[in-house]
Amino acid sequence: DGGITQSPKYLFRKEGQNVTLSCEQNLNHDAMYWYRQDPGQGLRLIYYSQIVNDFQKGDIAEGYSVSREKKESFPLTVTSAQKNPTAFYLCASSPGQGSTDTQYFGPGTRLTVL
Amino acid sequence: AQSVTQLDSQVPVFEEAPVELRCNYSSSVSVYLFWYVQYPNQGLQLLLKYLSGSTLVKGINGFEAEFNKSQTSFHLRKPSVHISDTAEYFCAVFPSGTYKYIFGTGTRLKVLA
């Protein structure tokens, strides 16, 4: 079955540590996205990539970094510079760059900073 | 700037009753409109979308939404809800000429037995 996988499902981090969240898709989609979800705030865009080897900052990119070396993979690193990283992180992909494209979401990773 | 407003953060409703979840948006350009559903600890799943044409859009699980351009609204409705509809619902717009969705803050629908 085609889809988006995110791992791990739950992640615990000590303050001052960097962690990397995995996102893989086998839908052959060009575009991929990372969102952060906090209670009562909806989804906020962290980074997005429209094509391999290219990505752009979203609305809340500070303290995060990404790479897009392969079409199917878009890992997100939460750095120690992110002041409040505890949240639910969602990865999504869409077929292309068109605004009519549906975004397909992964199951999410819940990050907790101890 | 574009924005999406979901005024109701929580909506309790009894099983088999009708429900309407409200969504209003603000945009200086044309938009495409979406409703997504999120079950606990899961990702989002598309319910329906409006791109063009008929303003009444039918989606999965018996949901429908009506685009009202003059009122800049895209309210979601279901004539008879089930316990399994308990979830969080997000309205989103995709402004023409951009590459990103703008999401509302979500409405938590709780269906009571």
Side-chain angles (χ1 to χ4, degrees):
Chain A
D1 282 340
I4 301 177
T5 57
Q6 291 186 244
S7 61
K9 188 170 178 66
Y10 298 97
L11 185 58
F12 297 91
R13 186 194 96 173
K14 293 182 180 179
E15 284 192 27
Q17 287 182 335
N18 293 353
V19 289
T20 297
L21 282 59
S22 169
C23 177
E24 303 277 333
Q25 54 99 359
N26 61 3
L27 300 167
N28 199 34
H29 286 173
D30 284 322
M32 297 187 75
Y33 306 81
W34 272 106
Y35 293 92
R36 170 181 171 138
Q37 185 178 18
D38 297 281
Q41 295 194 46
L43 277 70
R44 293 182 289 169
L45 183 65
I46 304 172
Y47 269 96
Y48 63 102
S49 168
Q50 298 167 45
I51 200 166
V52 176
N53 292 321
D54 186 46
F55 51 83
Q56 288 80 38
K57 293 181 179 180
D59 300 318
I60 56 165
E62 185 176 351
Y64 300 97
S65 65
V66 294
S67 63
R68 186 85 188 277
E69 297 175 0
K70 297 186 294 183
K71 187 175 185 177
E72 60 270 23
S73 179
F74 191 42
L76 173 74
T77 297
V78 184
T79 75
S80 57
Q82 169 50 235
K83 291 182 171 50
N84 184 21
T86 294
F88 191 50
Y89 291 87
L90 288 162
C91 179
S93 71
S94 64
Q97 302 165 25
S99 56
T100 60
D101 286 340
T102 298
Q103 289 195 355
Y104 295 81
F105 285 81
T109 292
R110 188 167 297 280
L111 173 63
T112 302
V113 173
L114 303 174
Chain B
Q2 295 87 17
S3 65
V4 177
T5 301
Q6 292 181 249
L7 284 173
D8 305 308
S9 59
Q10 294 188 60
V11 173
V13 62
F14 285 104
E15 194 173 19
E16 298 183 10
V19 69
E20 179 180 84
L21 305 183
R22 296 180 293 168
C23 174
N24 289 86
Y25 69 92
S26 171
S27 178
S28 56
V29 300
S30 60
V31 297
Y32 303 102
L33 297 148
F34 301 78
W35 274 100
Y36 283 84
V37 61
Q38 184 181 34
Y39 299 101
N41 292 312
Q42 294 186 26
L44 277 66
Q45 177 185 1
L46 181 70
L47 273 178
L48 50 79
K49 62 183 178 182
Y50 173 79
L51 305 180
S52 64
S54 173
T55 57
L56 183 63
V57 181
K58 294 191 184 297
I60 63 171
N61 301 340
F63 283 94
E64 63 181 32
E66 186 156 19
F67 170 53
N68 187 320
K69 188 174 182 180
S70 62
Q71 296 187 6
T72 60
S73 68
F74 191 53
H75 301 332
L76 181 71
R77 302 186 185 99
K78 186 169 182 178
S80 175
V81 295
H82 303 291
I83 296 287
S84 60
D85 292 323
T86 294
E88 190 153 21
Y89 293 79
F90 290 93
C91 180
V93 301
F94 206 132
S96 176
T98 71
Y99 294 101
K100 59 180 186 178
Y101 282 73
I102 299 169
F103 284 88
T105 52
T107 296
R108 197 172 296 275
L109 174 64
K110 185 169 177 60
V111 181
L112 308 168

